[in-house]
Amino acid sequence: MSPVFVTGAAGFIGFHLCRRLLARGEAVIGLDNLNDYYDVRLKEARLELLTPHPHFVFYRRDLADREGVESLFADHRPDSVVHLAAQPGVRYARENPHVYIQSNVVGFLHVLEGCRQAGGVRHLVFASSSSVYGANTRIPFSVHDNVDHPLSLYAASKKAGELMAHTYSHLYGLPATGLRFFTVYGPWGRPDMALFKFTQAILEGRPLDVYNHGNMRRDFTYVEDIVEGIVRVLDRPATPDPAWSGAAPDPAASSAPYRLYNIGAARPVELMRFIALLEERLGKKAILNLMPLQPDDLLDTYADVEALTRDTGYAPTTPIEVGVTNFVEWYKSYYQV
């Protein structure tokens, strides 16, 4: 069978997606460069759960390696591609801007070129981010709104990816769908994200850096709900929107086979409520280091997922209480706490 390519296969979302695809009988080609942005051992542990599967093949490859990426597409001729690999992190971009361009812009260009040159790619699904909403203050965030005021280079690189994907859809007819992820969390999560950092700090008795003095909300979305949404989108290749008009252009659609969706829980949670829930599950109080809002932070995130629900039946089901409990249980087991 023609495989599904998953870039970022050793990453948090990529790992969960590969497991889901394999469970439903897909052949999966996984790509990841296993960089050291966070503990490589965690990425390797994820891969150890995937590599025994007879329909999973893994390549350690950097997407910035143009020839290496081209050869994979030429050799394997994927049926579809889910592009999740990226340099994440909002604050990290302040000190390391070049890596975001190499990974998120140049790397994505090589994926797009791989799809074009290999031909026959039924659907490209790619990861964007809620960070693209930047200075927008109207909530819930809608894919129909303009997002031309990013607050971080990470957000700008994700916006660039959306524009590049649309160009390839227009020029080459490549069906492409972008998903703007909203604060994904759950077992096997990333150590640089809030739930992981907070859990580690509470257990170790270290202070938590809490920005804007805790007056923030995040649309925390459980990873299995995210994966369900990705699979639903993957099975529904983007098509041109016959109602799209250049006189009043909708950013979420196109006359090309291109779509953008928010993918989130659509249930924003106050940060202090999130911390209190984590304290309850860990049985230990947090030490709070209250700090001002950072210049690259969004005050609130809240996903309008109406379009994704309408088109795919997406309906996140995991309440934050269950998701946090599942994460804490995984953390304690994995780190033998």
Side-chain angles (χ1 to χ4, degrees):
M1 67 186 83
S2 296
V4 179
F5 270 24
V6 178
T7 72
F12 172 35
I13 300 173
F15 159 70
H16 284 278
L17 176 64
C18 288
R19 288 210 299 186
R20 176 70 68 86
L21 292 172
L22 292 167
R24 72 173 196 164
E26 303 275 7
V28 177
I29 305 290
L31 288 74
D32 203 294
N33 67 359
L34 299 179
N35 68 29
D36 61 358
Y37 171 67
Y38 63 83
D39 189 355
V40 176
R41 292 172 298 179
L42 181 58
K43 300 177 183 182
E44 292 172 339
R46 295 174 185 139
L47 281 176
E48 287 176 4
L49 296 179
L50 295 174
T51 48
H53 199 288
H55 292 154
F56 180 77
V57 178
F58 177 73
Y59 290 90
R60 183 170 183 172
R61 198 152 298 183
D62 196 314
L63 292 179
D65 173 7
R66 176 179 173 180
E67 292 182 356
V69 174
E70 287 179 353
S71 68
L72 283 180
F73 275 88
D75 291 345
H76 293 283
R77 302 282 174 176
D79 171 76
S80 50
V81 177
V82 183
H83 176 53
L84 301 174
Q87 176 57 56
V90 169
R91 294 182 187 89
Y92 188 70
R94 295 186 207 170
E95 290 78 34
N96 300 275
H98 295 89
V99 71
Y100 286 80
I101 302 305
Q102 279 297 109
S103 179
N104 301 359
V105 179
V106 175
F108 191 22
L109 173 62
H110 294 163
V111 170
L112 290 166
E113 273 292 284
C115 291
R116 180 181 74 85
Q117 294 178 15
V121 174
R122 183 177 58 90
H123 197 189
L124 166 66
V125 177
F126 65 94
S128 186
S129 168
S130 61
S131 295
V132 301
Y133 288 103
N136 290 23
T137 56
R138 183 170 64 178
I139 55 175
F141 292 143
S142 170
V143 288
H144 304 296
D145 291 340
N146 177 283
V147 290
D148 285 342
H149 298 87
L151 300 180
S152 67
L153 187 62
Y154 169 70
S157 72
K158 285 299 187 178
K159 170 66 174 176
E162 295 178 356
L163 298 175
M164 292 162 62
H166 179 268
T167 302
Y168 272 69
S169 292
H170 169 71
L171 292 176
Y172 308 114
L174 173 66
T177 300
L179 296 175
R180 292 173 175 170
F181 294 129
F182 279 70
T183 317
V184 188
Y185 75 100
W188 295 97
R190 286 199 343 243
D192 64 316
M193 296 190 73
L195 180 56
F196 201 114
K197 290 195 299 184
F198 287 179
T199 298
Q200 192 172 43
I202 291 172
L203 289 173
E204 294 176 2
R206 293 186 289 104
L208 316 182
D209 289 339
V210 180
Y211 296 103
N212 203 40
H213 306 280
N215 297 313
M216 304 171 77
R217 295 191 304 165
R218 289 291 179 265
D219 199 345
F220 293 102
T221 312
Y222 192 62
V223 65
E224 292 296 344
D225 290 332
I226 288 285
V227 167
E228 177 64 28
I230 295 173
V231 170
R232 286 174 179 265
V233 167
L234 185 63
D235 291 342
R236 186 182 182 277
T239 58
D241 181 356
W244 192 88
S245 168
D250 178 1
S254 177
S255 57
Y258 175 84
R259 285 290 189 279
L260 279 175
Y261 294 109
N262 287 332
I263 182 165
R267 294 187 296 267
V269 177
E270 293 182 357
L271 186 57
M272 297 308 292
R273 160 65 181 147
F274 184 71
I275 293 172
L277 180 61
L278 187 53
E279 289 175 323
E280 180 183 309
R281 296 299 187 267
L282 292 172
K284 191 174 181 181
K285 295 292 289 183
I287 304 169
L288 305 182
N289 180 29
L290 300 178
M291 301 176 67
L293 186 69
Q294 302 297 290
D296 43 16
D297 265 345
L298 278 64
L299 187 60
D300 296 313
T301 64
Y302 180 179
D304 177 349
V305 297
E306 179 183 358
L308 185 59
T309 298
R310 179 195 65 225
D311 291 347
T312 71
Y314 170 76
T317 59
T318 309
I320 192 75
E321 294 81 5
V322 172
V324 169
T325 299
N326 291 347
F327 173 82
V328 168
E329 290 177 352
W330 168 80
Y331 186 96
K332 287 183 173 181
S333 173
Y334 181 78
Y335 289 102
Q336 299 182 347
V337 176

